[in-house]
Amino acid sequence: MAGRPRDLAERMARRRRAAVRSAEGPGDGYLRETFTLPREAARARARAFFARYPKAGYMSEVETWRELPGGDIEFTMRRLPSAD
């Protein structure tokens, strides 16, 4: 049992951080979506993502990408969650 309110608050914060990390992967606060598409469709999807989540408001970016042996592009987009 917590002796001080601060002890209780710290314990609850630790539990919350652990839950966020296990549910979302890294606990850095970003939301990630991974896509595997043909090259032109991948470009269109990335453009649509940036149109919906502008870099200035969501810190959106292509986090990783690679070309697969069949020519498709696998890429991960990341953004901050919406504030509204």
Side-chain angles (χ1 to χ4, degrees):
M1 197 141 144
R4 300 176 300 167
R6 180 172 178 88
D7 296 335
L8 176 61
E10 288 174 357
R11 189 174 78 224
M12 291 175 70
R14 278 194 305 272
R15 285 185 184 170
R16 177 160 168 67
R17 283 192 301 268
V20 168
R21 277 194 297 271
S22 65
E24 296 178 2
D28 60 3
Y30 283 96
L31 301 176
R32 291 171 172 82
E33 293 182 65
T34 301
F35 305 94
T36 303
L37 299 165
R39 183 178 302 272
E40 290 306 314
R43 285 181 179 155
R45 183 65 187 113
R47 285 186 190 115
F49 189 93
F50 285 125
R52 183 168 183 187
Y53 306 108
K55 184 171 183 135
Y58 295 89
M59 295 178 61
S60 303
E61 72 176 14
V62 176
E63 186 173 51
T64 61
W65 70 275
R66 66 183 178 136
E67 185 173 0
L68 299 174
D72 286 352
I73 304 297
E74 180 183 84
F75 61 104
T76 300
M77 302 291 295
R78 80 175 191 179
R79 66 176 176 87
L80 289 174
S82 174
D84 42 4

